[in-house]
Amino acid sequence: MKLVHLLLILNSPIMNFLHLIMFQDFLCLSLLELMKMTGQNYWNVQKLLRIVSKSCAPRLQTVYEMKMKRTTDPSSAFLPTTLEGLDKILHGGIACGSLTEVTGPSGCGKTQFCIMMSLLATLPTSMGGLNGAVIYIDTESAFSAERLIAIAQHRFPNYFATEEKLISMPSSIHLYRELTCDSVLKRIESLEEEIISKNVKLVVIDSVASVVRKEFDTKLQGNLTERSNFLTREASILKYLAEEFSIPVSSSFVLLFVQLLMSEMHRCMKIVGRRKGAHFLTFICKC
């Protein structure tokens, strides 16, 4: 919403000069700057600030309301991984409305897990999916369309028995190759409109660590601070998107930290701890 609509309430004489200003720009100004800009007195500016703040602040939600939402409509609360043991540990799957980070050694299956979750998100809700589109940000050129099709045919042979189904599923996964920190951040900052217009239900970044390692040498003075600022900015935007649209966000994109280790020998899962503002889970599974 443009601030011009709010300025109309106060009959501001300079509303025509503010038609491009958004909430964020407005709230960054001091009271004195707002008084000069709007031509209003102190009390009217305070009133305007309250209107703007109330309009853009997230709706308060009680813990009971959050619990009931997940209980009455599990499909909107979780994206099942279809791995029975893992879904049991996660109480239903990857949580919507939060961030999930999948970490582990190179070659352990992180990208395959992200590709599989992208496939699952496109499935109809009757099959445990989210019946929506996926945005997949690939920073390592590791995404494989062939692997996506192979997983679909292997896991759901009956559903993907026709060529029409095999064509429509990949069409719902929007792939972006971003190879620098700046391009990743710009892509994330532009996601809001795309999530709405394309009915996006899952966002995947594979991987955040790749571009950070390439561009920030922590041995150089100042790089550690710059890297922290970049990761903080990125996580803040992703957290907002996940909460605002109640979609899972996995980075290898909700903030749930998951360490994924693949083992051919056995399937064993355990919760190992928590981090501030996030869940932290380590699991070993046979894929």
Side-chain angles (χ1 to χ4, degrees):
M1 177 190 276
K2 300 289 191 302
L3 286 179
V4 64
H5 300 127
L6 300 173
L7 294 172
L8 278 169
I9 299 174
L10 298 179
N11 296 315
S12 171
I14 62 157
M15 64 178 185
N16 291 330
F17 295 96
L18 301 177
H19 64 283
L20 294 178
I21 296 181
M22 305 301 289
F23 284 154
Q24 182 179 353
D25 305 309
F26 185 86
L27 293 173
C28 288
L29 299 176
S30 68
L31 283 172
L32 183 58
E33 288 172 324
L34 289 174
M35 289 170 66
K36 290 180 179 179
M37 181 176 287
T38 62
Q40 299 294 313
N41 60 34
Y42 175 84
W43 302 111
N44 280 343
V45 168
Q46 286 279 38
K47 180 180 178 182
L48 184 56
L49 275 173
R50 286 195 295 270
I51 294 172
V52 173
S53 299
K54 186 177 180 181
S55 297
C56 64
R59 186 182 72 84
L60 290 177
Q61 200 173 187
T62 66
V63 174
Y64 178 75
E65 287 175 327
M66 294 171 66
K67 179 180 183 299
M68 289 304 297
K69 181 180 179 181
R70 295 200 170 195
T71 303
T72 56
D73 188 11
S75 63
S76 67
F78 298 99
L79 173 59
T81 67
T82 68
L83 301 172
E84 185 179 348
L86 179 57
D87 285 337
K88 183 177 180 181
I89 289 290
L90 296 177
H91 302 287
I94 301 298
C96 297
S98 57
L99 306 179
T100 302
E101 182 178 356
V102 182
T103 67
S106 177
C108 73
K110 300 184 298 295
T111 294
Q112 177 168 298
F113 183 78
C114 289
I115 291 175
M116 183 180 73
M117 296 310 298
S118 299
L119 162 65
L120 296 174
T122 67
L123 295 177
T125 54
S126 59
M127 295 179 64
L130 298 177
N131 194 32
V134 176
I135 289 178
Y136 198 111
I137 301 174
D138 182 10
T139 67
E140 297 182 308
S141 299
F143 184 89
S144 169
E146 291 79 9
R147 185 60 184 145
L148 174 68
I149 297 298
I151 293 175
Q153 291 177 317
H154 177 72
R155 297 295 301 276
F156 306 97
N158 294 330
Y159 183 75
F160 290 105
T162 65
E163 186 177 349
E164 181 184 357
K165 292 287 187 183
L166 280 175
I167 293 175
S168 65
M169 181 271 294
S171 300
S172 298
I173 300 176
H174 306 279
L175 179 68
Y176 297 103
R177 286 204 163 94
E178 308 294 354
L179 305 179
T180 66
C181 288
D182 281 344
S183 63
V184 170
L185 191 57
K186 286 178 181 177
R187 177 63 61 187
I188 292 172
E189 290 173 335
S190 68
L191 285 182
E192 189 167 1
E193 182 179 345
E194 201 165 357
I195 288 172
I196 297 171
S197 62
K198 294 180 178 176
N199 188 33
V200 172
K201 298 296 185 180
L202 173 69
V203 177
V204 178
I205 303 178
D206 183 18
S207 73
V208 171
S210 174
V211 289
V212 170
R213 281 197 303 265
K214 286 188 292 186
E215 295 190 29
F216 295 102
D217 182 353
T218 54
K219 294 179 181 179
L220 298 178
Q221 187 176 7
N223 268 11
L224 185 59
T225 301
E226 288 183 28
R227 184 180 73 168
S228 298
N229 290 340
F230 167 75
L231 292 173
T232 299
R233 172 64 177 161
E234 187 177 71
S236 175
I237 298 172
L238 295 178
K239 188 172 187 294
Y240 160 75
L241 293 172
E243 292 178 349
E244 183 71 13
F245 298 101
S246 192
I247 60 174
V249 177
S250 176
S251 61
S252 130
F253 194 34
V254 157
L255 190 42
L256 167 65
F257 289 89
V258 181
Q259 184 172 8
L260 178 61
L261 303 174
M262 297 301 179
S263 169
E264 292 300 323
M265 299 300 295
H266 62 283
R267 179 178 295 174
C268 175
M269 305 181 183
K270 63 177 181 177
I271 296 178
V272 297
R274 299 177 70 87
R275 292 183 183 174
K276 184 178 180 182
H279 307 287
F280 182 61
L281 175 74
T282 295
F283 65 91
I284 302 172
C285 69
K286 182 176 180 182
C287 210

